[in-house]
Amino acid sequence: MLSFKKSEELFAEALKWIPGGVNSPVRAFRAVGGTPFFVNRAKGAHLFDLDENEIIDYVGTWGPAILGHAYPKIIKAIQDAAERGTSFGVPNSLEVKMAQIITRAIPSVQKVRMCNSGTEATMSAIRLARGYTRRDKIIKFDGCYHGHVDSLLVKAGSGALTFGHPDSMGVPAAFTQHTVVVPFNDTEAIQAAFDANRGQVAGIILEPVPGNAGLYVPKSGFLEFLRKICSEQGALLIFDEVMTGFRLGFGGAQQRFGITPDLTCFGKIIGGGLPVGAFGGRADIMDQLAPVGPVYQAGTLSGNPLAMAAGIAALEELENGNVYKSIEEIGAALETGLREAARSAGVAVQFNRCGSMFCGYFTDRPVHNLSDAMHSDRTKFGRYFHRMLEQGIYFAPSQFEAGFISAAHTAEDIEKTVRAAREILGHMN
Ligand code: HOZ
């Protein structure tokens, strides 16, 4: 059983100077109790904390680390770029190269604008959709999380849901009056939302595979329905692929499900672990952005050379390597092992997986949307989380987050994880 003594001491210190001791709420372990560990270094699929514990990591810095931590080609690219300067505030050639890779990978993206986080990407895409359509209403799904954008912090997932504040204080009601929230996988609710807001809907924004209330997948025909109704109603279909982009395949969820959105938001993997975001789509829509068009969007560090270099190194590796086949296989092995561990222990678990993203819910009912996810026994999840961590296995510290597999996870990592789960679940009922 691992001890986290040094981390506990440092967290006590952090609490004095940083709100909640963390720079992003989901890191604080509040949903599962206890205190977070501090990472000293990371390599491949493993984290090494202050106490020198070696921990198998299924969070992967919340998505970016698809190749594993400290990937040599990414580190080298960052070092080389840093030698030439860390920020210019004028165009650099890496921005063009990044745009070429993204547009080649994702045919729906004809032009792309870089920014600095997924939040900036979704915020800007929403503004652009409103500017392009000259309409105000946005439809979103409960449990989907699109960063901490004012107008989208309504029935949101991730930390907002984990801490019981899916509607944040500090967001004036006027800022969310144009946000219409519907349940995921519910075509009737969407039809009703369009009927009630005829000619006013600028777009629908969604995570095509929602990964911020755990993980559930779109039912057959659901994404096709969204595409069709948006086209019929003159609204834009906006895919938030901050998590799924370049993860569920080189072409993201849109390639996996064969759907063409009008706009797509990116982040995480395209920065190779450095802060980044991007949004792109049809050229006629993107050309509404300043300086060409009337929709303003900007950023001092947008297209930052270090983030571009790291992201390009990651994307080139993904484009040329065997990563997607390998993480699909690792994901399948983890799913088979954990399902079997739960079954033999007699613990009801719904294991949802899409490629290298997964979530186990402690419930006997299938999970297709937020209200299903809410049936999970979160006390059980918390116990399971801590027992696994004590064995050196780190899942996201909340029932309402997805797990991530990287190409660096080995068969040995999976075996160790399944063995620990079998033992722990066996003592859970
Ligand atoms: N999208 C991540 C959570 N699902 C972000 C992590 C964070 O909020 O720190």
Side-chain angles (χ1 to χ4, degrees):
M1 202 166 110
L2 305 186
S3 151
F4 295 96
K5 195 163 175 305
K6 286 188 182 158
S7 282
E8 283 160 16
E9 285 166 9
L10 187 56
F11 191 63
E13 192 64 20
L15 284 169
K16 294 182 198 160
W17 315 110
I18 305 173
V22 291
N23 282 313
S24 193
V26 294
R27 300 176 195 171
F29 278 33
R30 292 261 174 124
V32 289
T35 56
F37 59 90
F38 284 75
V39 172
N40 215 4
R41 65 194 166 88
K43 183 71 192 160
H46 294 189
L47 304 172
F48 298 83
D49 73 352
L50 291 189
D51 293 271
E52 273 303 308
N53 295 311
E54 182 169 354
I55 297 163
I56 301 174
D57 178 22
Y58 289 105
V59 178
T61 182
W62 303 92
I66 188 167
L67 295 164
H69 295 284
Y71 194 73
K73 284 190 183 165
I74 297 179
I75 302 300
K76 175 83 172 55
I78 296 170
Q79 284 168 340
D80 289 350
E83 297 281 348
R84 296 192 296 275
T86 55
S87 174
F88 309 127
V90 293
N92 70 80
S93 59
L94 296 175
E95 297 169 84
V96 183
K97 189 165 184 186
M98 174 62 92
Q100 287 169 334
I101 296 175
I102 293 176
T103 52
R104 183 166 71 237
I106 320 266
S108 73
V109 177
Q110 295 172 330
K111 288 192 176 180
V112 61
R113 169 71 56 89
M114 301 307 300
C115 51
N116 300 291
S117 68
T119 295
E120 279 187 36
T122 57
M123 178 185 81
S124 306
I126 292 292
R127 183 180 303 154
L128 179 57
R130 287 175 164 151
Y132 177 81
T133 59
R134 309 285 201 269
R135 298 173 177 181
D136 290 337
K137 302 271 185 205
I138 294 290
I139 296 177
K140 81 172 281 286
F141 295 93
D142 59 4
C144 277
Y145 174 73
H146 307 288
H148 56 289
V149 180
D150 276 347
S151 66
L152 299 176
L153 267 182
V154 187
K155 301 232 165 64
S158 191
L161 177 62
T162 297
F163 305 122
H165 303 297
D167 305 281
S168 175
M169 290 289 283
V171 178
F175 287 22
T176 58
Q177 68 174 336
H178 298 303
T179 308
V180 180
V181 186
V182 291
F184 196 77
N185 273 326
D186 185 340
T187 52
E188 280 175 22
I190 292 157
Q191 183 66 61
F194 272 102
D195 290 347
N197 297 282
R198 201 155 283 284
Q200 299 176 66
V201 177
I204 299 180
I205 187 166
L206 73 152
E207 302 171 71
V209 178
N212 280 291
L215 184 95
Y216 35 83
V217 296
K219 285 184 177 165
S220 168
F222 180 66
L223 297 177
E224 287 80 355
F225 174 82
L226 297 183
R227 176 63 278 174
K228 184 163 173 286
I229 198 163
C230 279
S231 300
E232 285 168 2
Q233 302 282 337
L236 301 187
L237 181 61
I238 308 167
F239 272 15
D240 175 348
E241 294 228 46
V242 171
M243 295 214 286
T244 55
F246 296 94
R247 175 165 284 279
L248 297 184
F250 196 60
Q254 55 195 273
Q255 178 191 50
R256 198 175 179 109
F257 293 96
I259 303 293
T260 305
D262 300 298
L263 292 175
T264 304
C265 304
F266 302 96
K268 303 205 190 260
I269 286 175
I270 63 163
L274 266 61
V276 87
F279 61 105
R282 268 176 29 214
D284 64 314
I285 303 172
M286 292 302 290
D287 281 340
Q288 292 296 307
L289 284 177
V292 192
V295 178
Y296 200 72
Q297 188 277 338
T300 299
L301 290 170
S302 297
N304 174 267
L306 298 195
M308 296 304 95
I312 289 166
L315 296 185
E316 285 180 342
E317 206 62 6
L318 291 171
E319 187 168 18
N320 301 323
N322 241 342
V323 171
Y324 296 107
K325 185 169 174 291
S326 130
I327 53 178
E328 189 72 50
E329 285 167 8
I330 302 167
L334 184 70
E335 174 175 355
T336 306
L338 291 182
R339 276 183 188 275
E340 171 56 22
R343 197 200 56 74
S344 62
V347 177
V349 173
Q350 299 298 315
F351 194 87
N352 287 354
R353 180 178 72 87
C354 189
S356 58
M357 296 172 72
F358 67 89
C359 179
Y361 296 95
F362 286 87
T363 170
D364 55 8
R365 103 192 228 172
V367 178
H368 301 295
N369 57 28
L370 178 62
S371 79
D372 297 334
M374 295 305 281
H375 282 89
S376 184
D377 183 335
R378 279 171 270 160
T379 308
K380 256 189 194 162
F381 174 82
R383 271 165 51 211
Y384 174 70
F385 168 85
H386 277 294
R387 296 297 86 78
M388 291 296 277
L389 185 56
E390 285 161 8
Q391 298 303 315
I393 295 146
Y394 179 50
F395 292 124
S398 164
Q399 176 68 87
F400 300 126
E401 299 288 352
F404 294 99
I405 292 159
S406 76
H409 283 94
T410 61
E412 204 184 341
D413 292 327
I414 303 301
E415 273 164 34
K416 182 175 173 189
T417 304
V418 170
R419 215 179 312 123
R422 199 177 297 127
E423 170 70 19
I424 288 159
L425 290 169
H427 289 92
M428 226 139 136
N429 272 335

